[in-house]
Amino acid sequence: MAQNQTMELKQELLKQAERPQNEAKLTKNMSIPDIVKALSPELKKALPSVITPERFTRIALSALNNTPELQQCTPMSFIGALLNAAQLGLEVNTPLGLAYLIPYKNKGQIECQFQLGYKGMITLAYRNPDIQTIQAQTVYENDEFIFEYGLNPKLIHRPAVTDRGEPVYFYALFKTIKGGYGYSCMSRQDMEAFAKKYSKAYASTFSPWNTNFEEMAKKTVIKQALKYAPISTELQRALSTDETIKSKIEENMVDAQNEMDYVEQAA
């Protein structure tokens, strides 16, 4: 990280910590691991018990190595997004696709936006004790696909054996332990229009919408379907962190203020 960004991080960390003893610990040209270690008392309060400040440091460095462009973000937004992911127990910017840290221009500066991935959304949904099954699928142009809404909803999907063609629909469904169920379906065209309208990071080169459109489309229909599911308050709060920018350390990052420009509904 450039020296000026490192100095900015130290200044912000001092503000957040609000502890005089931390000032003595921070010295010129400290590395990111050293800065994180200097904030250990605050991080210990906010990190889940399975993640130590040392492991948090390794995760931070791994994220920066996987996406070097994150070094352009304001340091505290990077720390905030990473801490958000850690509290949710989701790895970031890995092939698992659980969650992403996205460099995003917000209010005139580059900040780090936290985004849930498709598999992260499913992981969180299965933590809800009322959910028995949740899944999302892509429908290709040569598949057999029938769906109907209304008093007698119908959903039939028979994938083509070979040569399935291009994606044309995306759908998600859930079933509860008491037998309730629901689903949501969107066409490829509707999905693209939705993403452009509601995802502030859609145009970013690093947005998963550009690197893995199908997974983000599945995440979107899962989010739509869950609007009709009996989900817990804890899950609702976790989902509310999707596509947020936070620059303050809280014991529960769900409670930290979202500093991103207002968007009506995030994809």
Side-chain angles (χ1 to χ4, degrees):
M1 179 175 284
Q3 183 174 337
N4 64 334
Q5 291 175 319
T6 303
M7 293 302 295
E8 180 184 359
L9 176 55
K10 287 188 284 187
Q11 293 170 359
E12 291 293 335
L13 290 178
L14 285 171
K15 286 181 184 179
Q16 293 300 317
E18 294 182 347
R19 292 190 177 187
Q21 63 267 32
N22 281 324
E23 190 167 4
K25 295 179 182 178
L26 295 174
T27 59
K28 188 176 181 180
N29 297 325
M30 288 176 68
S31 65
I32 291 178
D34 288 338
I35 293 170
V36 173
K37 287 176 183 177
L39 199 64
S40 287
E42 285 67 39
L43 289 176
K44 284 180 179 178
K45 293 179 183 178
L47 286 171
S49 59
V50 294
I51 301 179
T52 63
E54 291 74 23
R55 186 180 174 198
F56 184 80
T57 300
R58 291 194 295 271
I59 294 172
L61 292 176
S62 177
L64 290 169
N65 288 333
N66 290 337
T67 311
E69 293 78 10
L70 286 170
Q71 296 183 27
Q72 300 173 21
C73 297
T74 58
M76 280 308 299
S77 68
F78 172 74
I79 294 291
L82 195 62
L83 186 54
N84 198 140
Q87 288 187 348
L88 293 177
L90 302 176
E91 294 186 22
V92 294
N93 294 30
T94 71
L96 293 175
L98 296 175
Y100 302 92
L101 303 185
I102 310 294
Y104 171 72
K105 189 171 184 179
N106 182 56
K107 300 177 182 177
Q109 59 185 349
I110 304 299
E111 294 187 305
C112 185
Q113 184 194 77
F114 172 76
Q115 272 198 27
L116 288 170
Y118 152 62
K119 294 179 182 177
M121 186 75 72
I122 288 180
T123 298
L124 293 177
Y126 272 125
R127 293 176 188 172
N128 183 356
D130 290 326
I131 297 294
Q132 182 184 74
T133 301
I134 184 165
Q135 60 176 270
Q137 300 290 343
T138 301
V139 179
Y140 297 90
E141 57 187 345
N142 294 328
D143 294 351
E144 179 183 351
F145 184 60
I146 301 171
F147 78 95
E148 295 178 2
Y149 292 122
L151 294 177
N152 297 295
K154 180 185 296 185
L155 181 66
I156 299 173
H157 180 200
R158 297 188 179 94
V161 178
T162 59
D163 187 24
R164 297 182 68 185
E166 296 296 318
V168 289
Y169 286 100
F170 304 94
Y171 71 90
L173 60 87
F174 70 86
K175 184 177 181 181
T176 70
I177 58 173
K178 294 183 178 180
Y181 65 91
Y183 71 89
S184 178
C185 180
M186 295 178 69
S187 69
R188 171 71 187 240
Q189 292 79 8
D190 287 345
M191 186 63 69
E192 290 176 345
F194 184 91
K196 290 177 182 177
K197 182 176 181 180
Y198 293 119
S199 179
K200 283 275 189 169
Y202 179 79
S204 170
T205 304
F206 312 104
S207 171
W209 279 109
N210 292 309
T211 58
N212 202 329
F213 185 90
E214 284 192 38
E215 288 206 359
M216 289 300 290
K218 289 178 180 179
K219 185 193 91 168
T220 299
V221 287
I222 286 175
K223 203 169 185 179
Q224 296 295 323
L226 285 176
K227 291 180 178 179
Y228 308 104
I231 61 176
S232 64
T233 300
E234 181 182 358
L235 177 56
Q236 287 178 331
R237 284 164 56 80
L239 296 181
S240 73
T241 66
D242 189 26
E243 292 204 6
T244 58
I245 292 175
K246 301 183 178 185
S247 298
K248 294 184 179 180
I249 294 176
E250 299 282 357
E251 290 191 34
N252 191 335
M253 289 302 293
V254 170
D255 298 325
Q257 181 182 356
N258 178 16
E259 299 171 23
M260 195 180 82
D261 284 337
Y262 176 75
V263 58
E264 182 180 351
Q265 181 180 12

CSV table of all heavy atoms in Angstrom, one decimal, residues 13-14 16-27 37-42:
chain,number,residue,atom,x,y,z
A,13,LEU,N,-7.6,4.8,12.1
A,13,LEU,CA,-7.6,3.9,13.2
A,13,LEU,C,-7.5,4.5,14.6
A,13,LEU,O,-8.1,4.1,15.5
A,13,LEU,CB,-6.4,2.9,13.0
A,13,LEU,CG,-6.6,1.9,11.9
A,13,LEU,CD1,-5.3,1.0,11.8
A,13,LEU,CD2,-7.8,1.0,12.0
A,14,LEU,N,-6.7,5.6,14.6
A,14,LEU,CA,-6.6,6.3,15.9
A,14,LEU,C,-7.9,7.0,16.3
A,14,LEU,O,-8.3,7.0,17.4
A,14,LEU,CB,-5.5,7.4,15.8
A,14,LEU,CG,-4.1,6.9,15.8
A,14,LEU,CD1,-3.1,8.0,15.4
A,14,LEU,CD2,-3.8,6.4,17.2
A,16,GLN,N,-10.9,5.8,15.4
A,16,GLN,CA,-11.8,4.8,15.8
A,16,GLN,C,-11.5,4.2,17.1
A,16,GLN,O,-12.4,3.9,17.9
A,16,GLN,CB,-11.8,3.6,14.7
A,16,GLN,CG,-12.3,4.0,13.4
A,16,GLN,CD,-13.7,4.5,13.4
A,16,GLN,OE1,-14.5,3.8,14.1
A,16,GLN,NE2,-14.1,5.5,12.8
A,17,ALA,N,-10.2,4.0,17.4
A,17,ALA,CA,-9.9,3.4,18.7
A,17,ALA,C,-10.2,4.3,19.9
A,17,ALA,O,-10.6,3.8,20.9
A,17,ALA,CB,-8.4,3.0,18.6
A,18,GLU,N,-9.9,5.6,19.7
A,18,GLU,CA,-10.1,6.5,20.8
A,18,GLU,C,-9.4,6.1,22.1
A,18,GLU,O,-10.0,6.3,23.2
A,18,GLU,CB,-11.6,6.8,21.0
A,18,GLU,CG,-12.3,7.4,19.8
A,18,GLU,CD,-13.8,7.7,20.0
A,18,GLU,OE1,-14.3,7.1,21.0
A,18,GLU,OE2,-14.4,8.4,19.2
A,19,ARG,N,-8.3,5.5,21.9
A,19,ARG,CA,-7.5,5.1,23.1
A,19,ARG,C,-6.1,5.7,23.0
A,19,ARG,O,-5.4,5.4,22.0
A,19,ARG,CB,-7.4,3.6,23.2
A,19,ARG,CG,-8.7,2.9,23.5
A,19,ARG,CD,-8.6,1.5,23.8
A,19,ARG,NE,-9.8,0.9,24.2
A,19,ARG,CZ,-9.9,-0.4,24.6
A,19,ARG,NH1,-8.8,-1.1,24.8
A,19,ARG,NH2,-11.1,-0.9,24.9
A,20,PRO,N,-5.7,6.5,23.9
A,20,PRO,CA,-4.4,7.2,23.9
A,20,PRO,C,-3.2,6.2,23.7
A,20,PRO,O,-2.2,6.5,23.0
A,20,PRO,CB,-4.3,7.9,25.2
A,20,PRO,CG,-5.7,8.1,25.6
A,20,PRO,CD,-6.4,6.9,25.1
A,21,GLN,N,-3.3,5.0,24.3
A,21,GLN,CA,-2.2,4.1,24.3
A,21,GLN,C,-1.9,3.6,22.8
A,21,GLN,O,-0.8,3.2,22.5
A,21,GLN,CB,-2.4,2.9,25.2
A,21,GLN,CG,-3.6,2.0,24.8
A,21,GLN,CD,-4.9,2.4,25.6
A,21,GLN,OE1,-5.0,3.6,25.9
A,21,GLN,NE2,-5.7,1.4,25.9
A,22,ASN,N,-2.9,3.6,22.0
A,22,ASN,CA,-2.7,3.2,20.6
A,22,ASN,C,-1.8,4.1,19.8
A,22,ASN,O,-1.1,3.7,18.9
A,22,ASN,CB,-4.1,3.0,19.9
A,22,ASN,CG,-4.8,1.8,20.2
A,22,ASN,OD1,-4.2,0.8,20.4
A,22,ASN,ND2,-6.1,1.9,20.4
A,23,GLU,N,-1.8,5.4,20.2
A,23,GLU,CA,-1.0,6.4,19.5
A,23,GLU,C,0.5,6.0,19.7
A,23,GLU,O,1.3,6.2,18.7
A,23,GLU,CB,-1.3,7.8,20.0
A,23,GLU,CG,-0.6,8.8,19.2
A,23,GLU,CD,-1.2,10.2,19.5
A,23,GLU,OE1,-2.0,10.3,20.4
A,23,GLU,OE2,-0.8,11.2,18.8
A,24,ALA,N,0.8,5.5,20.8
A,24,ALA,CA,2.2,5.2,21.0
A,24,ALA,C,2.6,4.0,20.3
A,24,ALA,O,3.8,3.8,19.9
A,24,ALA,CB,2.5,5.0,22.5
A,25,LYS,N,1.7,3.1,20.0
A,25,LYS,CA,2.0,1.9,19.3
A,25,LYS,C,2.2,2.1,17.8
A,25,LYS,O,2.9,1.4,17.1
A,25,LYS,CB,0.8,0.9,19.5
A,25,LYS,CG,0.7,0.4,20.9
A,25,LYS,CD,-0.5,-0.6,21.0
A,25,LYS,CE,-0.7,-1.0,22.4
A,25,LYS,NZ,-1.9,-1.9,22.5
A,26,LEU,N,1.5,3.1,17.2
A,26,LEU,CA,1.6,3.4,15.8
A,26,LEU,C,2.8,4.2,15.5
A,26,LEU,O,3.0,5.3,16.0
A,26,LEU,CB,0.3,4.1,15.3
A,26,LEU,CG,-1.0,3.3,15.4
A,26,LEU,CD1,-2.2,4.1,15.1
A,26,LEU,CD2,-0.9,2.0,14.6
A,27,THR,N,3.7,3.7,14.6
A,27,THR,CA,4.9,4.4,14.2
A,27,THR,C,4.9,4.6,12.7
A,27,THR,O,4.1,3.9,11.9
A,27,THR,CB,6.1,3.6,14.6
A,27,THR,OG1,6.1,2.3,14.1
A,27,THR,CG2,6.1,3.5,16.2
A,37,LYS,N,-2.6,-5.2,14.1
A,37,LYS,CA,-2.2,-5.6,15.5
A,37,LYS,C,-2.3,-4.5,16.5
A,37,LYS,O,-2.7,-4.8,17.6
A,37,LYS,CB,-0.7,-6.1,15.4
A,37,LYS,CG,-0.6,-7.5,14.7
A,37,LYS,CD,0.9,-7.9,14.7
A,37,LYS,CE,1.1,-9.2,13.9
A,37,LYS,NZ,2.5,-9.5,13.7
A,38,ALA,N,-2.0,-3.3,16.1
A,38,ALA,CA,-2.2,-2.2,17.0
A,38,ALA,C,-3.6,-1.9,17.4
A,38,ALA,O,-3.9,-1.4,18.5
A,38,ALA,CB,-1.6,-0.9,16.3
A,39,LEU,N,-4.5,-2.4,16.6
A,39,LEU,CA,-5.9,-2.2,16.9
A,39,LEU,C,-6.5,-3.5,17.5
A,39,LEU,O,-7.7,-3.6,17.7
A,39,LEU,CB,-6.7,-1.9,15.6
A,39,LEU,CG,-8.1,-1.3,15.8
A,39,LEU,CD1,-8.0,0.1,16.4
A,39,LEU,CD2,-8.8,-1.1,14.4
A,40,SER,N,-5.7,-4.4,17.9
A,40,SER,CA,-6.2,-5.7,18.4
A,40,SER,C,-7.2,-5.6,19.5
A,40,SER,O,-8.2,-6.3,19.5
A,40,SER,CB,-5.0,-6.5,18.9
A,40,SER,OG,-4.2,-7.0,17.9
A,41,PRO,N,-7.1,-4.7,20.5
A,41,PRO,CA,-8.1,-4.6,21.5
A,41,PRO,C,-9.5,-4.3,21.0
A,41,PRO,O,-10.5,-4.9,21.4
A,41,PRO,CB,-7.7,-3.4,22.4
A,41,PRO,CG,-6.2,-3.4,22.2
A,41,PRO,CD,-6.0,-3.7,20.8
A,42,GLU,N,-9.6,-3.5,19.9
A,42,GLU,CA,-10.9,-3.2,19.3
A,42,GLU,C,-11.4,-4.3,18.5
A,42,GLU,O,-12.5,-4.7,18.5
A,42,GLU,CB,-10.8,-1.9,18.5
A,42,GLU,CG,-10.7,-0.6,19.3
A,42,GLU,CD,-9.4,-0.5,20.1
A,42,GLU,OE1,-8.3,-0.9,19.6
A,42,GLU,OE2,-9.5,0.0,21.3
